[in-house]
Amino acid sequence: MSRIEEMLATTKLNDLIHKKEEEDKAQKTILWVLAIVGAVAAVAAIAYAVYCFFTPDYLEDFDEDFDDDFDEDFFSDEDEVQ
C-alpha cells in the first residue's frame, strides 16, 4: 500500500507543479500584453503632444480680427470712458 500512496502523492505533487507553471505562463503573457499596450499608449501620447506643440493656432488670429471689427462698428471715440 505504501508504494501506491507514494505514487499518488508524487502524481499530485507533479500536478500542482504543472498548474503553477501554467499559471506563471498565463501571468507572463498578460504582463507582456499590458506592457505592449502601455508602450503604444505612451508613444501615441508623445506624438499627440508634439503635434499640438508644432501645430499653429489659427483661432487666435481669427479672434483678434473679430474683436477689432466689433470695437470699430459699435463704439465711437465719444463713447469711450476715460
Side-chain angles (χ1 to χ4, degrees):
M1 273 304 252
S2 75
R3 181 83 171 151
I4 294 173
E5 289 175 359
E6 287 179 25
M7 288 182 63
L8 288 175
T10 306
T11 305
K12 288 181 184 178
L13 183 62
N14 284 336
D15 290 342
L16 290 175
I17 291 173
H18 289 297
K19 279 186 181 179
K20 184 70 173 172
E21 289 175 0
E22 290 174 7
E23 289 175 1
D24 288 343
K25 281 184 180 181
Q27 289 176 353
K28 286 182 182 181
T29 303
I30 292 171
L31 183 65
W32 273 104
V33 168
L34 291 176
I36 291 170
V37 168
V40 169
V43 169
I46 291 170
Y48 180 72
V50 169
Y51 170 76
C52 287
F53 181 74
F54 285 114
T55 302
D57 190 15
Y58 295 113
L59 187 58
E60 285 182 8
D61 296 336
F62 176 74
D63 286 341
E64 290 172 3
D65 292 341
F66 180 72
D67 290 339
D68 292 340
D69 293 341
F70 180 77
D71 291 342
E72 292 173 4
D73 290 342
F74 294 106
F75 299 109
S76 66
D77 292 335
E78 297 170 1
D79 293 337
E80 289 183 17
V81 176
Q82 302 209 15

